[in-house]
Amino acid sequence: MAHRLHADGVTLRYDKRLISTGLSVAIPDGSFTVVIGPNACGKSTLLRALSRLLPPSTGRVILDGRSIGELPAKEVARRLGLLPQSSVAPDAITVADLVARGRYPHQSFLRQWSNADEDAVAAAMAATHMTDLSDRLMDELSGGQRQRAWIAMVLAQETPILLLDEPTTFLDIAHQIELLDLLADLNRKGRTVVAVLHDLNHACRYASHLIAMKDGAIVAEGRAAEIITEQLVEAVFGLPSIIIADPVSATPLVIPKGRPVPAIHTPDSRKQSA
Ligand SMILES: Nc1ncnc2c1ncn2[C@@H]1O[C@H](COP(=O)(O)OP(=O)(O)O)[C@@H](O)[C@H]1O
Ligand SMILES: [Mg+2]
């Protein structure tokens, strides 16, 4: 399998805080890769390294055969779009202006705003249902609307590779599924998608390639059906669970065991109080 984007033996750190040591990961071209793992295990750090924001202290991240650190930022941004986990918009910017910033890597002194830019912005806003909100200020939007505006900005960048850090956080369940379906469509049309997701069942449904991380390392990777087991969920999240087949997609569906359900919710107790 071909891999335009891979990390080879990277050590990732923030000053003295070591996050990953000798980590290697390859993103299969054309895959919908989903990264899962508990809070603070290093998912965002990995995405930052893969997108050139965080230079590894050892090892290399390779994009199209070259060390990503040697490529100019704008060139990287034409091939790879990143939606960071928490993005803060500049004050008093409209949705349309924010999404238009996604076109920056395609512009130059000689090639300024063009019809191609206009089309890309319009298509990205339509895909995320933001067209009607285009004149609104970012800080006057709900969390979910704001998130969709950011996603529109990354889509407008029209990169063959998309890296999205928790794109469904802040979205209601319908908008989560809608966004995942949109990403699946983009993936079918040829884009490589890498997303960090917290919902294991969404991850199992949508990922063609799943990467499970813990403590800065990859614990398992492959197809959901191959790697998601009760043992893995326990090992990675410390969560006892039962895994059944998702009745819609037949992919693994993780049911947390949790504590026993309080008696008030059991059918017997309802009968007694009736
Ligand atoms: N800018 C930073 N400076 C120092 N430590 C950081 C920074 N960003 C993240 N960390 C730490 O690195 C670890 C991994 O963080 P992160 O990659 O964001 O985890 P995840 O995305 O899996 O929740 C955490 O312990 C976090 O506190
Ligand atoms: Mg994160």
Side-chain angles (χ1 to χ4, degrees), residues 39-40 42-45 48 85 165-166 196 198:
N39 290 330
K43 304 179 297 296
S44 297
T45 303
R48 272 181 220 135
Q85 187 173 344
D165 200 349
E166 299 195 25
V196 175
H198 272 305

Side-chain angles (χ1 to χ4, degrees), residues 47-65:
L47 254 57
R48 272 181 220 135
L50 289 175
S51 58
R52 191 186 178 276
L53 288 184
L54 180 71
S57 55
T58 64
R60 293 194 311 171
V61 172
I62 304 291
L63 175 61
D64 293 330

Side-chain angles (χ1 to χ4, degrees), residues 95-193:
V95 171
D97 287 343
L98 182 86
V99 177
R101 293 195 174 196
R103 298 303 298 166
Y104 171 72
H106 298 277
Q107 290 161 355
S108 64
F109 181 69
L110 292 174
R111 189 197 162 300
Q112 304 213 343
W113 192 256
S114 71
N115 286 339
D117 296 321
E118 200 70 49
D119 292 349
V121 167
M125 300 238 261
T128 49
H129 300 289
M130 290 304 288
T131 310
D132 290 345
L133 298 171
S134 66
D135 294 332
R136 293 270 292 273
L137 289 172
M138 282 295 281
D139 46 22
E140 290 169 358
L141 299 180
S142 75
Q145 292 168 332
R146 211 173 294 148
Q147 181 77 344
R148 274 156 48 214
W150 282 109
I151 291 160
M153 188 190 89
V154 179
L155 293 184
Q157 211 173 318
E158 290 189 318
T159 54
I161 304 171
L162 284 168
L163 304 179
L164 307 158
D165 200 349
E166 299 195 25
T168 52
T169 306
F170 305 122
L171 300 182
D172 66 52
I173 181 77
H175 282 114
Q176 287 182 36
I177 297 297
E178 194 180 276
L179 173 66
L180 290 167
D181 284 341
L182 169 65
L183 296 178
D185 282 344
L186 294 168
N187 175 242
R188 265 192 295 274
K189 289 176 193 155
R191 297 221 219 176
T192 301
V193 177

